[in-house]
Amino acid sequence: MRHTNRTVIIAGVVLAIVAGGIYVTLTGLPYKRSQIASEVREYLVHTRAYPAADIQEIRGVYSLKSGDYEAEVRYKDEPDQNYTYAKVNGVFRLVGVSSMYGKHIDETFY
């Protein structure tokens, strides 16, 4: 009986470690997602001169496809549009939009 309990505990710990590893692999590290969101907010407010009040939400995400961290931005005047910013060669660029008719598409979009 005692041997069975130990096996169940060890199996539970191993399962939790594997599940945690899979989660981090698929979603990225939480502090890096937060860091990219903060950097993009600073870029938009200071470099692109957007008023902070115009930004509804900035969410850091991990792109499993590219292996990079990106930030999805929503503006208050376009709450249904997503703008995706990423750091390319050390400079932030607009790398994705949910609609080609958005108001916030800039010259960095390619």
Side-chain angles (χ1 to χ4, degrees):
M1 185 67 135
R2 207 168 90 140
H3 187 65
T4 304
N5 287 341
R6 182 180 293 169
T7 304
V8 169
I9 291 172
I10 290 172
V13 169
V14 168
L15 183 63
I17 290 170
V18 169
I22 291 170
Y23 175 78
V24 168
T25 299
L26 294 176
T27 63
L29 298 170
Y31 77 91
K32 288 235 182 196
R33 292 191 318 248
S34 177
Q35 179 183 8
I36 194 76
S38 296
E39 288 177 8
V40 167
R41 178 178 298 280
E42 202 164 304
Y43 164 75
L44 292 173
V45 171
H46 297 291
T47 306
R48 302 295 305 167
Y50 281 107
D54 288 356
I55 300 170
Q56 178 177 335
E57 176 187 24
I58 299 179
R59 189 169 63 98
V61 293
Y62 176 71
S63 172
L64 190 60
K65 186 169 134 180
S66 69
D68 293 326
Y69 290 86
E70 301 171 342
E72 292 179 352
V73 179
R74 287 189 180 182
Y75 295 95
K76 288 184 179 175
D77 62 343
E78 292 182 301
D80 297 329
Q81 303 288 343
N82 286 327
Y83 295 86
T84 304
Y85 291 86
K87 198 177 260 188
V88 179
N89 298 325
V91 178
F92 282 108
R93 296 184 64 106
L94 180 62
V95 295
V97 294
S98 58
S99 170
M100 293 302 293
Y101 303 105
K103 299 176 189 174
H104 301 281
I105 295 176
D106 59 34
E107 71 278 356
T108 66
F109 183 62
Y110 60 90

